[in-house]
Amino acid sequence: MGRLVSIRQMQLVDGCGVGASNGPGEASSPGKAPPPWTSLDGFAEGDDGRTYSWRIVTAAVLAGTDPLDDSEGSVALADLAGVTACITGGEPSLVVVDAPHFGPELLDALQYAPAWVRARVFYPLLTGAEQAWLDELEQRDADELVPRVVAALEAQLGVPLRVEADRATWAARIMLEVGYVISTDHLFSAFGPRFSIEAQELITAWLAERAPD
């Protein structure tokens, strides 16, 4: 990802807005303690008009793993807004804070950090055009896959097709064998009455664990 432009506005997933300030340390109100966040996802609007996602978590939330080691791709940031933090490798990156909690000062420090830090922390979300293109692509896949998988299910489970919970795993195996790796929403929106609610839930969970990315 190229150089990230300035962040104009941040929005927390829990709906509490954090406006971009003129510099570090201005996000919290005077005399008020920072919220004791232990993990926080959110969205950031850049002055390039794009929306970026980010995620912060404390080390304690990661159940005893050591995020501040020398694992490949991780970068330690000493004393970031008063805490020690690191940026993990992989995409998207994760900011891990070595402290019990953190507050809005950390958000300020991240959005006013050097460009290479912002480029590691903030990831652009899909634009409307990009999402529409992917939706159209998946719909084309669904138009081809759904009839094929229903035919395969009918061939092995019988006609008229009816899948209850006790046959859900069997049905899911058949679906995966014939290449069903897209969202089950397409199948169940068209043929939902042929699957019990519990069977739909079991099939969806089974495929989520085993279908390739």
Side-chain angles (χ1 to χ4, degrees), residues 10 12 18-19 21 23-37 40 54 56 79-83 85 95 97 101-113 122:
M10 284 189 174
L12 311 187
V18 178
S21 64
E26 295 183 13
S28 58
S29 300
K32 290 187 177 180
W37 291 323
L40 193 63
W54 48 270
I56 307 172
D79 194 24
L80 184 67
V83 299
V95 178
V97 180
H101 60 80
F102 59 91
E105 294 84 0
L106 180 59
L107 301 180
D108 262 344
L110 288 171
Q111 60 179 317
Y112 291 101
F122 298 101

Side-chain angles (χ1 to χ4, degrees), residues 71-75 87-95 119-123:
S71 60
E72 184 178 355
S74 66
V75 178
I87 305 174
T88 65
E91 295 186 8
S93 295
L94 175 65
V95 178
R120 287 284 299 269
V121 172
F122 298 101
Y123 277 76

